[in-house]
PDB file of all heavy atoms in Angstrom:
ATOM      1  N   GLY F 349      40.440 145.971-149.281  1.00 72.00           N
ATOM      2  CA  GLY F 349      41.027 145.042-150.234  1.00 72.00           C
ATOM      3  C   GLY F 349      41.239 145.676-151.600  1.00 72.00           C
ATOM      4  O   GLY F 349      40.853 146.829-151.836  1.00 72.00           O
ATOM      5  N   GLN F 350      41.863 144.924-152.487  1.00 73.00           N
ATOM      6  CA  GLN F 350      42.105 145.386-153.851  1.00 73.00           C
ATOM      7  C   GLN F 350      41.498 144.375-154.812  1.00 73.00           C
ATOM      8  O   GLN F 350      40.992 143.322-154.407  1.00 73.00           O
ATOM      9  CB  GLN F 350      43.612 145.521-154.082  1.00 73.00           C
ATOM     10  CG  GLN F 350      44.290 146.481-153.111  1.00 73.00           C
ATOM     11  CD  GLN F 350      45.806 146.408-153.191  1.00 73.00           C
ATOM     12  OE1 GLN F 350      46.355 145.640-153.971  1.00 73.00           O
ATOM     13  NE2 GLN F 350      46.482 147.205-152.372  1.00 73.00           N
ATOM     14  N   ALA F 351      41.557 144.713-156.078  1.00 67.00           N
ATOM     15  CA  ALA F 351      40.911 143.854-157.078  1.00 67.00           C
ATOM     16  C   ALA F 351      41.459 142.435-157.037  1.00 67.00           C
ATOM     17  O   ALA F 351      40.717 141.466-157.172  1.00 67.00           O
ATOM     18  CB  ALA F 351      41.110 144.458-158.465  1.00 67.00           C
ATOM     19  N   HIS F 352      42.762 142.295-156.841  1.00 81.00           N
ATOM     20  CA  HIS F 352      43.369 140.969-156.873  1.00 81.00           C
ATOM     21  C   HIS F 352      43.604 140.377-155.487  1.00 81.00           C
ATOM     22  O   HIS F 352      44.100 139.265-155.363  1.00 81.00           O
ATOM     23  CB  HIS F 352      44.712 141.040-157.609  1.00 81.00           C
ATOM     24  CG  HIS F 352      45.752 141.842-156.880  1.00 81.00           C
ATOM     25  ND1 HIS F 352      45.673 143.206-156.751  1.00 81.00           N
ATOM     26  CD2 HIS F 352      46.885 141.451-156.228  1.00 81.00           C
ATOM     27  CE1 HIS F 352      46.717 143.636-156.057  1.00 81.00           C
ATOM     28  NE2 HIS F 352      47.466 142.585-155.722  1.00 81.00           N
ATOM     29  N   ARG F 353      43.263 141.158-154.420  1.00 86.00           N
ATOM     30  CA  ARG F 353      43.486 140.671-153.062  1.00 86.00           C
ATOM     31  C   ARG F 353      42.284 140.985-152.190  1.00 86.00           C
ATOM     32  O   ARG F 353      41.808 142.116-152.148  1.00 86.00           O
ATOM     33  CB  ARG F 353      44.739 141.306-152.435  1.00 86.00           C
ATOM     34  CG  ARG F 353      46.033 140.980-153.148  1.00 86.00           C
ATOM     35  CD  ARG F 353      47.238 141.418-152.320  1.00 86.00           C
ATOM     36  NE  ARG F 353      47.445 140.514-151.196  1.00 86.00           N
ATOM     37  CZ  ARG F 353      47.538 140.895-149.922  1.00 86.00           C
ATOM     38  NH1 ARG F 353      47.403 142.171-149.602  1.00 86.00           N
ATOM     39  NH2 ARG F 353      47.752 140.010-148.972  1.00 86.00           N
ATOM     40  N   ARG F 354      41.849 139.994-151.468  1.00 92.00           N
ATOM     41  CA  ARG F 354      40.734 140.180-150.535  1.00 92.00           C
ATOM     42  C   ARG F 354      41.315 140.358-149.124  1.00 92.00           C
ATOM     43  O   ARG F 354      42.016 139.486-148.627  1.00 92.00           O
ATOM     44  CB  ARG F 354      39.807 138.962-150.561  1.00 92.00           C
ATOM     45  CG  ARG F 354      38.634 139.071-149.599  1.00 92.00           C
ATOM     46  CD  ARG F 354      37.704 137.880-149.717  1.00 92.00           C
ATOM     47  NE  ARG F 354      36.641 137.951-148.735  1.00 92.00           N
ATOM     48  CZ  ARG F 354      36.728 137.437-147.507  1.00 92.00           C
ATOM     49  NH1 ARG F 354      37.821 136.796-147.137  1.00 92.00           N
ATOM     50  NH2 ARG F 354      35.723 137.547-146.659  1.00 92.00           N
ATOM     51  N   ILE F 355      41.018 141.500-148.498  1.00 92.00           N
ATOM     52  CA  ILE F 355      41.495 141.781-147.148  1.00 92.00           C
ATOM     53  C   ILE F 355      40.297 141.717-146.197  1.00 92.00           C
ATOM     54  O   ILE F 355      39.345 142.490-146.355  1.00 92.00           O
ATOM     55  CB  ILE F 355      42.162 143.174-147.046  1.00 92.00           C
ATOM     56  CG1 ILE F 355      43.229 143.343-148.121  1.00 92.00           C
ATOM     57  CG2 ILE F 355      42.744 143.375-145.654  1.00 92.00           C
ATOM     58  CD1 ILE F 355      44.347 142.347-148.049  1.00 92.00           C
ATOM     59  N   PRO F 356      40.292 140.820-145.219  1.00 91.00           N
ATOM     60  CA  PRO F 356      39.166 140.756-144.282  1.00 91.00           C
ATOM     61  C   PRO F 356      38.968 142.104-143.590  1.00 91.00           C
ATOM     62  O   PRO F 356      39.945 142.738-143.163  1.00 91.00           O
ATOM     63  CB  PRO F 356      39.590 139.676-143.281  1.00 91.00           C
ATOM     64  CG  PRO F 356      40.552 138.823-144.044  1.00 91.00           C
ATOM     65  CD  PRO F 356      41.290 139.762-144.947  1.00 91.00           C
ATOM     66  N   PRO F 357      37.728 142.577-143.461  1.00 91.00           N
ATOM     67  CA  PRO F 357      37.477 143.894-142.868  1.00 91.00           C
ATOM     68  C   PRO F 357      37.594 143.912-141.350  1.00 91.00           C
ATOM     69  O   PRO F 357      37.524 144.974-140.734  1.00 91.00           O
ATOM     70  CB  PRO F 357      36.040 144.196-143.310  1.00 91.00           C
ATOM     71  CG  PRO F 357      35.410 142.842-143.436  1.00 91.00           C
ATOM     72  CD  PRO F 357      36.491 141.941-143.956  1.00 91.00           C
ATOM     73  N   ASN F 358      37.721 142.732-140.735  1.00 93.00           N
ATOM     74  CA  ASN F 358      37.824 142.659-139.282  1.00 93.00           C
ATOM     75  C   ASN F 358      38.744 141.491-138.904  1.00 93.00           C
ATOM     76  O   ASN F 358      39.309 140.832-139.778  1.00 93.00           O
ATOM     77  CB  ASN F 358      36.439 142.501-138.651  1.00 93.00           C
ATOM     78  CG  ASN F 358      35.691 141.301-139.221  1.00 93.00           C
ATOM     79  OD1 ASN F 358      36.186 140.162-139.190  1.00 93.00           O
ATOM     80  ND2 ASN F 358      34.493 141.543-139.754  1.00 93.00           N
ATOM     81  N   LYS F 359      38.855 141.233-137.624  1.00 94.00           N
ATOM     82  CA  LYS F 359      39.802 140.216-137.136  1.00 94.00           C
ATOM     83  C   LYS F 359      39.078 139.032-136.487  1.00 94.00           C
ATOM     84  O   LYS F 359      39.629 138.344-135.625  1.00 94.00           O
ATOM     85  CB  LYS F 359      40.793 140.865-136.166  1.00 94.00           C
ATOM     86  CG  LYS F 359      41.540 142.039-136.789  1.00 94.00           C
ATOM     87  CD  LYS F 359      42.638 142.589-135.893  1.00 94.00           C
ATOM     88  CE  LYS F 359      43.399 143.717-136.601  1.00 94.00           C
ATOM     89  NZ  LYS F 359      44.551 144.209-135.798  1.00 94.00           N
ATOM     90  N   LYS F 360      37.872 138.786-136.934  1.00 95.00           N
ATOM     91  CA  LYS F 360      37.034 137.782-136.282  1.00 95.00           C
ATOM     92  C   LYS F 360      37.453 136.344-136.563  1.00 95.00           C
ATOM     93  O   LYS F 360      36.996 135.432-135.871  1.00 95.00           O
ATOM     94  CB  LYS F 360      35.574 137.995-136.681  1.00 95.00           C
ATOM     95  CG  LYS F 360      34.996 139.307-136.163  1.00 95.00           C
ATOM     96  CD  LYS F 360      33.537 139.478-136.546  1.00 95.00           C
ATOM     97  CE  LYS F 360      32.982 140.783-135.994  1.00 95.00           C
ATOM     98  NZ  LYS F 360      31.548 140.982-136.344  1.00 95.00           N
ATOM     99  N   THR F 361      38.313 136.114-137.554  1.00 96.00           N
ATOM    100  CA  THR F 361      38.725 134.733-137.818  1.00 96.00           C
ATOM    101  C   THR F 361      39.864 134.289-136.912  1.00 96.00           C
ATOM    102  O   THR F 361      40.234 133.107-136.922  1.00 96.00           O
ATOM    103  CB  THR F 361      39.160 134.548-139.286  1.00 96.00           C
ATOM    104  OG1 THR F 361      40.326 135.337-139.537  1.00 96.00           O
ATOM    105  CG2 THR F 361      38.036 134.926-140.242  1.00 96.00           C
ATOM    106  N   TYR F 362      40.417 135.216-136.133  1.00 97.00           N
ATOM    107  CA  TYR F 362      41.466 134.791-135.185  1.00 97.00           C
ATOM    108  C   TYR F 362      41.254 135.312-133.777  1.00 97.00           C
ATOM    109  O   TYR F 362      41.642 134.652-132.817  1.00 97.00           O
ATOM    110  CB  TYR F 362      42.872 135.120-135.689  1.00 97.00           C
ATOM    111  CG  TYR F 362      43.131 136.515-136.197  1.00 97.00           C
ATOM    112  CD1 TYR F 362      43.772 137.464-135.417  1.00 97.00           C
ATOM    113  CD2 TYR F 362      42.790 136.873-137.504  1.00 97.00           C
ATOM    114  CE1 TYR F 362      44.047 138.729-135.898  1.00 97.00           C
ATOM    115  CE2 TYR F 362      43.065 138.135-138.000  1.00 97.00           C
ATOM    116  CZ  TYR F 362      43.694 139.065-137.192  1.00 97.00           C
ATOM    117  OH  TYR F 362      43.978 140.325-137.680  1.00 97.00           O
ATOM    118  N   GLN F 363      40.633 136.457-133.593  1.00 96.00           N
ATOM    119  CA  GLN F 363      40.288 136.898-132.244  1.00 96.00           C
ATOM    120  C   GLN F 363      38.972 136.244-131.811  1.00 96.00           C
ATOM    121  O   GLN F 363      38.163 135.854-132.643  1.00 96.00           O
ATOM    122  CB  GLN F 363      40.186 138.420-132.195  1.00 96.00           C
ATOM    123  CG  GLN F 363      41.515 139.102-132.456  1.00 96.00           C
ATOM    124  CD  GLN F 363      41.428 140.612-132.462  1.00 96.00           C
ATOM    125  OE1 GLN F 363      40.353 141.193-132.342  1.00 96.00           O
ATOM    126  NE2 GLN F 363      42.573 141.268-132.616  1.00 96.00           N
ATOM    127  N   MET F 364      38.766 136.151-130.492  1.00 96.00           N
ATOM    128  CA  MET F 364      37.634 135.386-129.972  1.00 96.00           C
ATOM    129  C   MET F 364      36.300 136.111-130.133  1.00 96.00           C
ATOM    130  O   MET F 364      36.229 137.337-130.116  1.00 96.00           O
ATOM    131  CB  MET F 364      37.869 135.062-128.491  1.00 96.00           C
ATOM    132  CG  MET F 364      38.905 133.988-128.238  1.00 96.00           C
ATOM    133  SD  MET F 364      39.204 133.702-126.478  1.00 96.00           S
ATOM    134  CE  MET F 364      37.540 133.283-125.917  1.00 96.00           C
ATOM    135  N   ASP F 365      35.245 135.314-130.248  1.00 97.00           N
ATOM    136  CA  ASP F 365      33.879 135.820-130.337  1.00 97.00           C
ATOM    137  C   ASP F 365      33.461 136.355-128.964  1.00 97.00           C
ATOM    138  O   ASP F 365      33.547 135.637-127.964  1.00 97.00           O
ATOM    139  CB  ASP F 365      32.952 134.673-130.755  1.00 97.00           C
ATOM    140  CG  ASP F 365      31.529 135.125-131.035  1.00 97.00           C
ATOM    141  OD1 ASP F 365      31.094 136.152-130.473  1.00 97.00           O
ATOM    142  OD2 ASP F 365      30.834 134.429-131.797  1.00 97.00           O
ATOM    143  N   PRO F 366      33.008 137.620-128.873  1.00 97.00           N
ATOM    144  CA  PRO F 366      32.591 138.164-127.573  1.00 97.00           C
ATOM    145  C   PRO F 366      31.492 137.363-126.878  1.00 97.00           C
ATOM    146  O   PRO F 366      31.312 137.498-125.663  1.00 97.00           O
ATOM    147  CB  PRO F 366      32.090 139.575-127.928  1.00 97.00           C
ATOM    148  CG  PRO F 366      32.853 139.934-129.154  1.00 97.00           C
ATOM    149  CD  PRO F 366      32.986 138.652-129.933  1.00 97.00           C
ATOM    150  N   ALA F 367      30.780 136.542-127.619  1.00 98.00           N
ATOM    151  CA  ALA F 367      29.715 135.738-127.012  1.00 98.00           C
ATOM    152  C   ALA F 367      30.242 134.515-126.271  1.00 98.00           C
ATOM    153  O   ALA F 367      29.486 133.860-125.555  1.00 98.00           O
ATOM    154  CB  ALA F 367      28.721 135.291-128.095  1.00 98.00           C
ATOM    155  N   ASN F 368      31.523 134.190-126.432  1.00 98.00           N
ATOM    156  CA  ASN F 368      32.042 132.920-125.918  1.00 98.00           C
ATOM    157  C   ASN F 368      32.778 133.083-124.592  1.00 98.00           C
ATOM    158  O   ASN F 368      33.598 133.982-124.434  1.00 98.00           O
ATOM    159  CB  ASN F 368      32.976 132.280-126.943  1.00 98.00           C
ATOM    160  CG  ASN F 368      32.230 131.790-128.167  1.00 98.00           C
ATOM    161  OD1 ASN F 368      31.006 131.890-128.234  1.00 98.00           O
ATOM    162  ND2 ASN F 368      32.943 131.266-129.136  1.00 98.00           N
ATOM    163  N   TYR F 369      32.478 132.159-123.691  1.00 97.00           N
ATOM    164  CA  TYR F 369      33.056 132.127-122.343  1.00 97.00           C
ATOM    165  C   TYR F 369      33.916 130.881-122.152  1.00 97.00           C
ATOM    166  O   TYR F 369      35.095 130.963-121.827  1.00 97.00           O
ATOM    167  CB  TYR F 369      31.905 132.156-121.335  1.00 97.00           C
ATOM    168  CG  TYR F 369      32.276 131.980-119.885  1.00 97.00           C
ATOM    169  CD1 TYR F 369      32.814 133.038-119.155  1.00 97.00           C
ATOM    170  CD2 TYR F 369      32.036 130.780-119.231  1.00 97.00           C
ATOM    171  CE1 TYR F 369      33.122 132.893-117.807  1.00 97.00           C
ATOM    172  CE2 TYR F 369      32.343 130.628-117.879  1.00 97.00           C
ATOM    173  CZ  TYR F 369      32.882 131.688-117.174  1.00 97.00           C
ATOM    174  OH  TYR F 369      33.188 131.536-115.850  1.00 97.00           O
ATOM    175  N   ARG F 370      33.340 129.714-122.425  1.00 97.00           N
ATOM    176  CA  ARG F 370      34.059 128.452-122.212  1.00 97.00           C
ATOM    177  C   ARG F 370      35.274 128.322-123.132  1.00 97.00           C
ATOM    178  O   ARG F 370      36.256 127.665-122.779  1.00 97.00           O
ATOM    179  CB  ARG F 370      33.112 127.264-122.410  1.00 97.00           C
ATOM    180  CG  ARG F 370      32.066 127.129-121.307  1.00 97.00           C
ATOM    181  CD  ARG F 370      31.114 125.969-121.556  1.00 97.00           C
ATOM    182  NE  ARG F 370      30.249 126.215-122.703  1.00 97.00           N
ATOM    183  CZ  ARG F 370      30.259 125.496-123.816  1.00 97.00           C
ATOM    184  NH1 ARG F 370      31.106 124.498-123.944  1.00 97.00           N
ATOM    185  NH2 ARG F 370      29.432 125.787-124.799  1.00 97.00           N
ATOM    186  N   GLU F 371      35.225 128.965-124.286  1.00 97.00           N
ATOM    187  CA  GLU F 371      36.345 128.906-125.212  1.00 97.00           C
ATOM    188  C   GLU F 371      37.626 129.453-124.582  1.00 97.00           C
ATOM    189  O   GLU F 371      38.738 129.033-124.927  1.00 97.00           O
ATOM    190  CB  GLU F 371      36.016 129.692-126.481  1.00 97.00           C
ATOM    191  CG  GLU F 371      37.067 129.588-127.571  1.00 97.00           C
ATOM    192  CD  GLU F 371      36.711 130.414-128.804  1.00 97.00           C
ATOM    193  OE1 GLU F 371      35.691 131.140-128.779  1.00 97.00           O
ATOM    194  OE2 GLU F 371      37.457 130.313-129.787  1.00 97.00           O
ATOM    195  N   ALA F 372      37.483 130.382-123.633  1.00 97.00           N
ATOM    196  CA  ALA F 372      38.655 130.936-122.963  1.00 97.00           C
ATOM    197  C   ALA F 372      39.404 129.861-122.181  1.00 97.00           C
ATOM    198  O   ALA F 372      40.633 129.940-122.038  1.00 97.00           O
ATOM    199  CB  ALA F 372      38.237 132.074-122.030  1.00 97.00           C
ATOM    200  N   VAL F 373      38.689 128.871-121.675  1.00 97.00           N
ATOM    201  CA  VAL F 373      39.347 127.777-120.959  1.00 97.00           C
ATOM    202  C   VAL F 373      40.238 126.991-121.917  1.00 97.00           C
ATOM    203  O   VAL F 373      41.367 126.616-121.579  1.00 97.00           O
ATOM    204  CB  VAL F 373      38.307 126.849-120.306  1.00 97.00           C
ATOM    205  CG1 VAL F 373      38.997 125.662-119.639  1.00 97.00           C
ATOM    206  CG2 VAL F 373      37.467 127.608-119.297  1.00 97.00           C
ATOM    207  N   ARG F 374      39.749 126.766-123.117  1.00 97.00           N
ATOM    208  CA  ARG F 374      40.543 126.044-124.113  1.00 97.00           C
ATOM    209  C   ARG F 374      41.818 126.811-124.442  1.00 97.00           C
ATOM    210  O   ARG F 374      42.918 126.222-124.512  1.00 97.00           O
ATOM    211  CB  ARG F 374      39.705 125.829-125.377  1.00 97.00           C
ATOM    212  CG  ARG F 374      40.421 125.028-126.463  1.00 97.00           C
ATOM    213  CD  ARG F 374      39.539 124.882-127.689  1.00 97.00           C
ATOM    214  NE  ARG F 374      40.172 124.020-128.693  1.00 97.00           N
ATOM    215  CZ  ARG F 374      39.669 123.804-129.913  1.00 97.00           C
ATOM    216  NH1 ARG F 374      38.523 124.373-130.265  1.00 97.00           N
ATOM    217  NH2 ARG F 374      40.308 123.018-130.757  1.00 97.00           N
ATOM    218  N   GLU F 375      41.698 128.107-124.637  1.00 97.00           N
ATOM    219  CA  GLU F 375      42.868 128.930-124.922  1.00 97.00           C
ATOM    220  C   GLU F 375      43.833 128.934-123.735  1.00 97.00           C
ATOM    221  O   GLU F 375      45.055 128.861-123.907  1.00 97.00           O
ATOM    222  CB  GLU F 375      42.434 130.364-125.248  1.00 97.00           C
ATOM    223  CG  GLU F 375      41.649 130.518-126.549  1.00 97.00           C
ATOM    224  CD  GLU F 375      42.561 130.469-127.777  1.00 97.00           C
ATOM    225  OE1 GLU F 375      43.787 130.337-127.624  1.00 97.00           O
ATOM    226  OE2 GLU F 375      42.028 130.577-128.896  1.00 97.00           O
ATOM    227  N   ALA F 376      43.292 129.008-122.534  1.00 97.00           N
ATOM    228  CA  ALA F 376      44.135 129.053-121.341  1.00 97.00           C
ATOM    229  C   ALA F 376      44.906 127.752-121.163  1.00 97.00           C
ATOM    230  O   ALA F 376      46.103 127.761-120.845  1.00 97.00           O
ATOM    231  CB  ALA F 376      43.284 129.339-120.109  1.00 97.00           C
ATOM    232  N   LYS F 377      44.247 126.635-121.352  1.00 97.00           N
ATOM    233  CA  LYS F 377      44.920 125.343-121.220  1.00 97.00           C
ATOM    234  C   LYS F 377      46.050 125.210-122.243  1.00 97.00           C
ATOM    235  O   LYS F 377      47.141 124.701-121.925  1.00 97.00           O
ATOM    236  CB  LYS F 377      43.909 124.208-121.378  1.00 97.00           C
ATOM    237  CG  LYS F 377      42.968 124.053-120.186  1.00 97.00           C
ATOM    238  CD  LYS F 377      42.004 122.891-120.409  1.00 97.00           C
ATOM    239  CE  LYS F 377      41.113 122.698-119.195  1.00 97.00           C
ATOM    240  NZ  LYS F 377      40.133 121.580-119.391  1.00 97.00           N
TER     241      LYS F 377
END
Side-chain angles (χ1 to χ4, degrees):
Q350 302 170 0
H352 67 290
R353 297 191 74 234
R354 179 177 176 271
I355 308 300
N358 55 56
K359 304 187 177 185
K360 294 181 179 180
T361 64
Y362 49 101
Q363 295 178 356
M364 286 177 57
D365 187 334
N368 291 358
Y369 174 78
R370 290 178 292 116
E371 185 181 5
V373 176
R374 183 181 185 186
E375 293 283 359
K377 288 181 177 179

